[in-house]
């Protein structure tokens, strides 16, 4: 399985962030031997305002482009929302759905996330479906039950998938932006649990405080098919090191 290293810029980045993309593209095109390997997929999900210009300028340059969220409908009276079709039109090939920040900030439940994942497939995008437990849920011994429930409720209906790709991202909420990560054993056991739920062909990413310093160890864990990187994807040098670790 080709590893996928994905950067989620969240609500960060102005036009000037183009210099970071320049560095990344340079690294992907021979500037950094390990990070230039074409048996690694590299994806950047910038804010929607930057998606179209970046995807146009840096098309076919070793970096894939994605959105951070989409609406379930193709168009309509939904002020401020962006459809999967619009993301595809802007040059995206992927879209993150069900990120814990959307689930928390916007009250998105599993059924909404599922509609978004199905919208992504409808528009020809690969959805990255995010799941993960909170600290309280882990401490209560509920992590697998919670993640299993999120998968059951958020994954697109099989008849909408066919032979299309879906990516799952396991992001423990308590590990996001905190510098904390689960032990490698805990990552292994959750990824093996998710593997059992989604079958043998899906890439399962780990996300939550992935840094150049821990990427090698995490990416070596069984059933970890890549990383979804937040903070460390904003600086090209850090992101390049994580790609090189893969
Ligand atoms: P950090 O890498 O900043 O912890 O964020 C992870 C994340 O939420 C990626 O989607």
């Amino acid at each position: 399985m080709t590893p996928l290293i994905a950067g989620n810029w969240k609500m960060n980045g102005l036009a000037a962030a183009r210099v970071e993309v320049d560095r990344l593209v340079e690294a992907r095109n021979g500037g950094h031997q390990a990070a230039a390997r074409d048996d690694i997929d590299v994806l950047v999900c910038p804010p929607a305002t930057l998606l179209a210009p970046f995807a146009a300028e840096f098309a076919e340059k070793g970096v894939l482009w994605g959105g951070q969220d989409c609406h379930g409908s193709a168009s309509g009276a939904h002020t401020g929302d962006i459809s999967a079709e619009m993301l595809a039109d802007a040059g995206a090939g992927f879209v993150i759905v069900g990120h814990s920040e959307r689930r928390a900030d916007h009250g998105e439940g599993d059924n909404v996330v599922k509609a978004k994942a199905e919208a992504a497939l409808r528009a020809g995008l690969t959805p990255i479906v995010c799941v993960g437990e909170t600290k309280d849920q882990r401490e209560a011994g509920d992590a697998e039950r919670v993640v299993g429930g999120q998968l059951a409720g958020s994954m697109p209906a099989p008849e909408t998938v066919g032979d299309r790709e879906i990516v799952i991202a396991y992001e423990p909420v308590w590990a996001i932006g905190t510098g904390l990560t689960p032990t490698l054993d805990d990552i292994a056991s959750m990824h093996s649990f998710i593997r059992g739920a989604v079958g043998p062909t899906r890439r399962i990413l780990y996300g939550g405080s992935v840094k150049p310093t821990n990427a090698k160890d995490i990416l070596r864990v069984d059933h970890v098919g890549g990383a979804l990187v937040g903070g460390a994807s904003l600086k090209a040098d850090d992101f390049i090191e994580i790609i090189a670790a893969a």
Side-chain angles (χ1 to χ4, degrees), residues 8 10 99 101 171 175-178 207-211 228-232:
N8 173 11
K10 308 190 180 184
H99 192 282
E101 287 151 14
E171 299 205 302
I176 295 176
T178 59
S209 296
V210 176
K211 309 286 176 206
L228 183 53
V229 184

Side-chain angles (χ1 to χ4, degrees), residues 2-3 27-30 32-42 61-62 64 203 243:
T2 307
R28 286 290 286 159
N29 288 277
H32 186 299
Q33 202 184 347
R37 290 180 55 148
D38 59 8
D39 53 356
I40 303 169
D41 288 340
V42 174
K61 293 252 172 23
L64 303 163
R203 287 191 281 196
I243 297 164

